[in-house]
Amino acid sequence: MKIAKIEDLHCAAGWRTFSFLKVTTDDGLIGWSEYTEGDGSRGLTSVIHGMAEALIGQDPRPVQAISSLLYVRHQQAANGINQRAMAAIENALLDIKGKNLGVPVYELFGGPVRTRLPVYWSHCGTYRVRNHLDVGTPQARTYDDIAALGADVKARGFKALKTNILAFDGEKLVGFGPGAGRTPGWPALNIDNKTIQAVRDTLGAFRAGAGPEMGLLLDVNYHFKTEGFLQVAKAVEPYNLTWLEFDTWDPRALALIRSRAPCPIASSESVSGRRAYRPFLDAYASDVVIIDVIWNGFLESIKIAAMAEAYEVNVAPHNYYGHLSTAISAHFCATVPNLRVMEVDVDSVAWRDELFLNAPVIEDGELLLPTGPGWGVEVNEAAVRAHPPK
């Protein structure tokens, strides 16, 4: 068996683009992975091809050997976009290997620890504030709308939800994103009383609607410096958060915030590779380590999780893409013993399910582990091509 062809496919998904890597062997097996050119990854497709085209004619099945070779060849700049390219290739090759053996990928790594995966509804309210036309729902304009959404999340059987800061501009709710340069406030990233009040109002509305038993998570990304994160941590105390999530590149700053926070801290979704995670673990910087399996690759991700377990830390996947990413992350969640909970985006474009021949199933707040060979979720290539990116 040899790698014969490498292709990339892209699909409109409202406010973003879903991207897929397709690796075909000379005997017709196809391996799929999902990746993104958003969030610091512009040009990733070209990097993937630059790496993967050297693999044409090689046997795709010794996945670890190929991943190690790619790392060695790029170790002078091994993190960031290079790691994300290696991850896309690695994940597609694992799909081929599973299909070749007729087993799910998780069976290659000792079998599943669990087959029903606890999930939380991510970006809850966020997309309905800023992307409601793409989602196909009424716009969430007030905190009363947010409370109603919280009640709906509970009614649909979810046990946890994660939101972002939703500020009221005097007429309607608006998004908050200075850490990504989307709203004013960068590059200083200072905090003010209005923002603190928006944190309280957002969490108060969700808690009122979803009730006291709902797991409530708040993600504030890179939006503040250490001072601001400390103020946010103080403000969330009355709402009994499952975790407060944010990112900083200083392990000691993260550990300081954790030591003063009234709730668990989750972080590190943007970190790439074991070597980069190690300083955060050595600093005991967070209660939950977040790992992006699409950015790190499955093999590297389970090694990071194993390293975290040695520090008595549980992990959670960063997963906000399409259904193939959800399937890949589900195999990760099934394989690692130290799982906290799994992230899923519930709100998306109306045609997201059409892009896959068998979309993952969520039942009573749990995702059912795919059982087919490889990742167990197959891309509907015709549907992807029917929705070209804008």
Side-chain angles (χ1 to χ4, degrees):
M1 181 189 295
K2 306 294 182 186
I3 297 173
K5 191 176 183 181
I6 295 167
E7 303 169 82
D8 57 279
L9 289 80
H10 308 272
C11 173
W15 61 97
R16 53 189 172 178
T17 297
F18 290 154
S19 295
F20 305 95
L21 183 65
K22 178 184 179 184
V23 178
T24 306
T25 67
D26 57 1
D27 56 358
L29 271 181
I30 296 175
W32 290 99
S33 66
E34 187 171 350
Y35 66 97
T36 177
E37 285 209 319
D39 300 313
S41 297
R42 299 299 181 193
L44 179 55
T45 297
S46 296
V47 178
I48 290 171
H49 279 281
M51 289 186 187
E53 285 167 4
L55 304 177
I56 297 291
Q58 292 192 30
D59 188 333
R61 291 170 291 187
V63 184
Q64 181 62 73
I66 293 171
S67 294
S68 296
L69 177 62
L70 291 175
Y71 178 84
V72 168
R73 287 178 173 172
H74 299 90
Q75 63 179 320
Q76 289 176 311
N79 295 327
I81 199 165
N82 277 334
Q83 180 65 50
R84 296 179 186 189
M86 288 185 271
I89 296 166
E90 174 184 294
N91 289 341
L93 298 186
L94 282 170
D95 192 33
I96 289 175
K97 189 174 183 74
K99 290 173 178 174
N100 176 247
L101 296 173
V103 297
V105 169
Y106 52 75
E107 292 292 357
L108 305 175
F109 298 92
V113 176
R114 56 192 69 82
T115 58
R116 296 180 68 97
L117 311 173
V119 300
Y120 66 84
W121 179 324
S122 192
H123 298 99
C124 194
T126 307
Y127 293 155
R128 297 195 184 192
V129 166
R130 72 184 192 202
N131 307 108
H132 68 288
L133 295 176
D134 294 313
V135 174
T137 60
Q139 185 178 20
R141 298 179 59 86
T142 69
Y143 291 116
D144 286 341
D145 294 336
I146 295 301
L149 175 57
D152 184 52
V153 171
K154 180 180 179 180
R156 292 173 63 173
F158 286 87
K159 306 299 189 299
L161 66 88
K162 186 172 80 178
T163 191
N164 307 94
I165 298 174
L166 304 174
F168 190 71
D169 69 359
E171 296 182 359
K172 63 183 185 306
L173 294 176
V174 294
F176 180 83
R182 295 192 181 102
T183 59
W186 59 273
L189 303 180
N190 291 315
I191 196 167
D192 56 28
N193 290 335
K194 182 178 179 181
T195 301
I196 290 293
Q197 189 59 49
V199 168
R200 296 190 181 107
D201 291 341
T202 302
L203 295 177
F206 269 119
R207 183 57 77 201
E213 295 183 0
M214 178 66 65
L216 189 55
L217 297 71
L218 177 67
D219 186 356
V220 294
N221 305 102
Y222 290 93
H223 297 331
F224 308 106
K225 299 291 178 64
T226 303
E227 174 211 2
F229 290 132
L230 284 168
Q231 291 196 49
V232 170
K234 182 178 179 180
V236 303
E237 184 170 9
Y239 305 101
N240 191 26
L241 294 194
T242 298
W243 76 49
L244 172 64
E245 179 179 337
F246 59 89
D247 286 275
T248 176
W249 289 110
D250 187 336
R252 291 179 298 175
L254 183 57
L256 171 67
I257 299 163
R258 182 196 181 199
S259 71
R260 298 184 182 180
C263 62
I265 297 296
S267 189
S268 301
E269 69 184 27
S270 298
V271 179
S272 297
R274 285 162 286 165
R275 293 164 181 84
Y277 272 90
R278 181 178 173 182
F280 289 91
L281 289 166
D282 284 342
Y284 293 89
S286 58
D287 298 279
V288 180
V289 166
I290 300 178
I291 305 170
D292 192 307
V293 189
I294 305 306
W295 288 346
N296 278 281
F298 188 87
L299 294 174
E300 188 68 13
S301 295
I302 60 174
K303 292 168 187 173
I304 297 165
M307 192 166 69
E309 189 172 27
Y311 289 81
E312 300 298 333
V313 174
N314 283 356
V315 299
H318 180 229
N319 172 53
Y320 70 114
Y321 315 96
H323 288 321
L324 180 57
S325 168
T326 293
I328 295 170
S329 297
H331 283 252
F332 168 80
C333 292
T335 301
V336 301
N338 53 325
L339 174 69
R340 181 64 176 88
V341 67
M342 180 174 173
E343 177 177 23
V344 293
D345 265 354
V346 177
D347 286 336
S348 188
V349 290
W351 60 87
R352 181 173 62 168
D353 287 359
E354 301 171 16
L355 306 177
F356 305 88
L357 300 179
N358 47 343
V361 175
I362 295 176
E363 180 182 278
D364 194 29
E366 296 176 323
L367 187 139
L368 307 186
L369 183 64
T371 58
W375 298 125
V377 169
E378 200 73 14
V379 175
N380 182 348
E381 191 169 338
V384 171
R385 296 185 185 278
H387 295 279
K390 299 177 182 178

